[in-house]
Amino acid sequence: MSASNRPAGSGRLLTGVAWATLLLGLWLWGRGITDGSGASSAPTTGDIAAVGRPHGVLLPAAHAPIKGTAPERIEIPSIGVRAPVVARGLDKAGGIDPPPFAKSQTVGWYGSGTRPGAAGAALLVGHVDTETKPAVFYGLSAARPGAKVRVVRTDGSVAEFTIDDVQVFTRKRFDARKAYGPRKDGRAELRLITCGGTFDRASHEYNANVVVSAYLTGEKPSAGKSA
């Protein structure tokens, strides 16, 4: 949806070219035909730097994939995120339908893709801000490797992930395989995605996407399930 035909006050994340690039990349990646040129070294998302994977950060061993069930809530304590998750499908153009602008504090999960905890990369997207206030993933680029991400699932279990990478991909050098594809075969992973880079007030667009990668490192069974 372009800035010119959005409802007034509907927010500015995932609009115009930045969102179109994200959707097109997902569409192409899902069909196995993307051949991008790699991640960008763009330094900022708003006023916050993305850090990649710094040396010296000790990360825990990966947990084996678990039965994937639909996500209900996501928690990222280090950046103050506690938000509901809703499944989103594909629109008529073949792209994932983002969360409604009216629900800027809600995270969208690509429901036809990997479920959090199962092998592969589960994709979650959220708004960075609206025209008047921060949205659910406003602080996403401040996330750091080693931080925890908890996904509460519909069966009551909690899939616990550890962030291992934070990157900014510019729309001109967007690599859908690196943004969406698994980093290691057979591992259960998450991708948390929002808009980033520089916001151009003239065009009402961001010029990049922030992509946070995390992998499964633990599981908390539901109350009715033995450990």
Side-chain angles (χ1 to χ4, degrees), residues 11-174:
R12 68 190 191 193
L13 165 74
L14 303 179
T15 60
V17 178
W19 181 235
T21 300
L22 179 65
L23 299 189
L24 178 60
L26 175 59
W27 187 81
L28 293 174
W29 169 74
R31 287 155 178 76
I33 60 175
T34 301
D35 185 17
S37 57
S40 166
S41 58
T44 62
T45 301
D47 295 325
I48 304 171
V51 299
R53 187 183 301 171
H55 295 293
V57 175
L58 298 178
L59 299 175
H63 190 287
I66 57 180
K67 181 181 179 180
T69 59
E72 189 172 79
R73 188 175 73 249
I74 184 171
E75 301 172 357
I76 314 174
S78 66
I79 57 173
V81 170
R82 180 184 171 90
V85 177
V86 296
R88 308 300 291 173
L90 297 178
D91 60 23
K92 293 180 179 180
I96 185 173
D97 193 20
F101 282 115
K103 296 183 178 180
S104 64
Q105 298 299 327
T106 296
V107 173
W109 162 62
Y110 179 46
S112 295
T114 301
R115 296 185 173 192
L123 308 178
L124 291 93
V125 299
H127 294 273
V128 68
D129 59 14
T130 69
E131 292 177 348
T132 59
K133 61 184 179 180
V136 63
F137 277 170
Y138 181 79
L140 189 62
S141 62
R144 295 292 181 262
K148 302 300 180 181
V149 178
R150 294 192 288 266
V151 178
V152 180
R153 307 187 303 166
T154 53
D155 64 355
S157 66
V158 179
E160 300 178 333
F161 295 81
T162 298
I163 294 173
D164 65 342
D165 194 50
V166 182
Q167 295 289 337
V168 175
F169 291 80
T170 66
R171 57 186 173 89
K172 290 183 178 180
R173 300 187 63 193
F174 193 83

